[in-house]
Amino acid sequence: MFRKLGQSMAAWSFKYIPDPSIFAVLLTFIAFALGIFLTTSGPMDMVLHWYKGFWELLTFSMQMALMVITASTVANAPAIKKGISALASIPKNSKQAVYFVALVSVAVSIVHWGLSLVLGALLAREVGKSLKKRNLTFEYGLIGAAAYLGQMTWHGGLSASVGLLIATPGHFLEKQIGIIPIGDYMFNTMNIAVTIGVLIFPPIFAWMIHPKDDEIKMLDPEVSAYLDRTDEGAHRARAVVTVGDKLNSSRSIAYLLGALGFTYIVHHFRTKGFNLDLNIVNAIFFFAGIILHGTMADYVQAVKDATPGVSGVIFQFPLYAGIMGMVRYSGLVDVFSAAIVSISTLNTFYFWTFISSSIVNLFVPSGGGQWAVQGPIAMKSAEMMGASYIKSALAVAYGNTWTNMLQPFWAIALLGITGLKARDVIGYATAVMILSFLVFALPLLFLPV
């Protein structure tokens, strides 16, 4: 029943929902109109508010782009890919493959959402290849959906955009809420319960919706041919002739640079304790990628291969920043905050924040971009309610990540790696999303931070 529901919802979304970039543009127009009708700002005022905010997230945009790129370079390093190939032989049938890929994807997402996306996709592809070589039938679309589940479960973990941003000095809400350490964001009763819940239940739900053996779809001929291909990866044979070639291919240079980076990282943790922010997370993956690839030439190639995955971030984040400017500077933040407060009690406030965030995510698929738009509203509402800033931030984070299963924006990289089409994945992912609702909702209603 849930599988069929997910498939019908996916069919509807791909028939009627436009590209996420169009959503960002449409949301700009909506915010513009609401500012005129709900505040004292006139059309020219809204233009000024929009442009005032347009460039305010350039640092944050670069940080988010680097999160995608550095995670991709690590996942595509030869040693990591070799380990993935070894793991791919563990599942003995299609149902085991679905559960195994889902579990790995979710577990890795607690460490880094970008790594989970790329590593999960690589694992799904290699599992598909392994099952195919053994002449076993398997539901490849569901295996791909299992790899995507990390995008539903990451926002309470170590790479949480919201958590890392509010832990970063100079963030755009610092004057209102101050600096909140990532340890306070992660290691509280509610988030620990949610983290345990997402590790246990979504992989089980993915296993539960697996079709019967006689209902497994035949592989599409194009997908079948894709799985038969060999993957050469970023490491390509290069002629080493000139002094420049030798420098490019020098392992000593790469390892020295990596050692320099990790010298600072060790110093950071020795002097500041468990103090993660966006910059230190990116630094860890940046220098780990250099060491894992072994030469600057291979690492630069891996960066080039990963760069197309951040095109959406580059284009959409200035638009999100402009929306944030209109919401903040026109007074819409107060209007929206009052509306949420009016329907909430202190006990239900976090739940309604979660629901509103789930809806906004369909328009603003980036966790960081959504926080830029919704963060000021959520924090103002929390202030009006006398509610916890941390729990309110987590409510926004959970809503953002939960409906990613309906939102194909982040699936683009996964589809490119697995050879699947969005319609093969999103229906199954939506079914798991529906089943996982209480994993997020119950802790928000009943547990303290």
Side-chain angles (χ1 to χ4, degrees):
M1 179 181 68
F2 285 108
R3 176 169 51 86
K4 290 179 180 179
L5 174 63
Q7 289 171 334
S8 65
M9 293 181 70
W12 177 86
S13 68
F14 285 103
K15 186 175 182 180
Y16 295 107
I17 295 180
D19 184 85
S21 299
I22 299 300
F23 267 133
V25 176
L26 293 177
L27 195 59
T28 298
F29 296 147
I30 291 170
F32 186 90
L34 289 175
I36 294 173
F37 288 110
L38 298 180
T39 74
T40 58
S41 298
M44 193 61 203
D45 295 321
M46 292 305 294
V47 170
L48 296 176
H49 298 328
W50 173 68
Y51 195 77
K52 183 177 180 180
F54 202 80
W55 303 115
E56 288 188 346
L57 294 180
L58 287 181
T59 299
F60 186 40
S61 302
M62 185 64 174
Q63 289 168 326
M64 295 306 298
L66 282 172
M67 286 195 81
V68 176
I69 291 173
T70 57
S72 295
T73 59
V74 168
N76 280 292
I80 302 298
K81 294 177 81 170
K82 185 177 180 180
I84 291 172
S85 296
L87 290 174
S89 63
I90 293 176
K92 304 304 179 187
N93 55 53
S94 184
K95 271 192 122 173
Q96 287 184 18
V98 167
Y99 179 82
F100 181 68
V101 172
L103 182 62
V104 171
S105 175
V106 171
V108 174
S109 78
I110 306 303
V111 178
H112 196 294
W113 65 268
L115 183 63
S116 171
L117 181 63
V118 179
L119 190 146
L122 291 169
L123 179 60
R125 184 185 66 187
E126 294 306 311
V127 165
K129 287 183 177 182
S130 177
L131 293 173
K132 190 172 185 294
K133 286 179 181 178
R134 287 178 272 167
N135 295 316
L136 298 171
T137 56
F138 56 97
E139 188 66 22
Y140 191 40
L142 182 51
I143 294 174
Y148 194 43
L149 291 183
Q151 301 312 295
M152 186 181 70
T153 56
W154 64 278
H155 220 153
L158 290 166
S159 67
S161 301
V162 173
L164 291 174
L165 183 64
I166 60 181
T168 302
H171 71 86
F172 62 85
L173 291 174
E174 182 178 358
K175 290 182 180 179
Q176 181 179 358
I177 67 173
I179 303 295
I180 299 176
I182 190 68
D184 294 348
Y185 176 91
M186 282 186 62
F187 302 118
N188 57 74
T189 302
M190 185 187 73
N191 192 56
I192 290 172
V194 171
T195 301
I196 293 172
V198 298
L199 283 167
I200 294 172
F201 292 107
I204 292 175
F205 294 150
W207 179 82
M208 285 170 57
I209 66 173
H210 191 284
K212 297 178 181 178
D213 290 344
D214 58 355
E215 294 177 343
I216 293 177
K217 296 187 295 291
M218 293 291 293
L219 278 177
D220 181 280
E222 290 185 9
V223 175
S224 181
Y226 178 81
L227 292 176
D228 288 333
R229 298 177 195 167
T230 58
D231 178 45
E232 296 178 359
H235 289 235
R236 301 176 177 91
R238 296 181 178 88
V240 180
V241 179
T242 67
V243 173
D245 294 333
K246 292 180 180 179
L247 292 174
N248 291 338
S249 301
S250 170
R251 292 189 173 275
S252 298
I253 290 177
Y255 292 152
L256 283 172
L257 181 59
L260 181 65
F262 272 98
T263 298
Y264 173 77
I265 291 167
V266 171
H267 169 77
H268 172 89
F269 288 117
R270 286 185 63 185
T271 57
K272 299 182 180 181
F274 185 74
N275 183 27
L276 289 175
D277 58 27
L278 286 170
N279 293 331
I280 198 66
V281 169
N282 280 335
I284 291 169
F285 279 84
F286 185 92
F287 294 110
I290 290 173
I291 292 172
L292 287 169
H293 282 275
T295 71
M296 296 309 301
D298 286 332
Y299 185 71
V300 169
Q301 183 60 53
V303 170
K304 289 180 180 178
D305 292 341
T307 299
V310 300
S311 59
V313 172
I314 293 170
F315 171 70
Q316 292 180 39
F317 265 61
L319 293 176
Y320 297 150
I323 295 167
M324 179 192 72
M326 289 189 285
V327 170
R328 291 178 67 186
Y329 301 127
S330 70
L332 276 174
V333 61
D334 298 314
V335 175
F336 293 154
S337 300
I340 293 175
V341 169
S342 69
I343 64 170
S344 303
T345 65
L346 187 56
N347 288 333
T348 62
F349 168 72
Y350 307 106
F351 174 78
W352 289 119
T353 300
F354 165 73
I355 294 298
S356 65
S357 177
S358 301
I359 296 169
V360 172
N361 182 52
L362 299 177
F363 293 87
V364 187
S366 162
Q370 181 172 341
W371 181 249
V373 174
Q374 193 172 4
I377 299 169
M379 295 300 98
K380 181 68 175 181
S381 302
E383 182 181 326
M384 294 168 68
M385 289 291 298
S388 163
Y389 286 139
I390 295 176
K391 191 169 182 178
S392 301
L394 283 164
V396 174
Y398 296 158
N400 162 263
T401 199
W402 181 56
T403 48
N404 274 345
M405 299 300 94
L406 269 173
Q407 169 58 265
F409 178 75
W410 292 113
I412 295 171
L414 178 139
L415 300 176
I417 292 171
T418 59
L420 289 163
K421 296 179 174 63
R423 64 174 179 264
D424 300 323
V425 172
I426 297 299
Y428 287 122
T430 302
V432 177
M433 181 196 83
I434 294 169
L435 290 167
S436 300
F437 173 73
L438 294 180
V439 175
F440 300 100
L442 289 179
L444 283 166
L445 284 168
F446 298 112
L447 293 180
V449 291

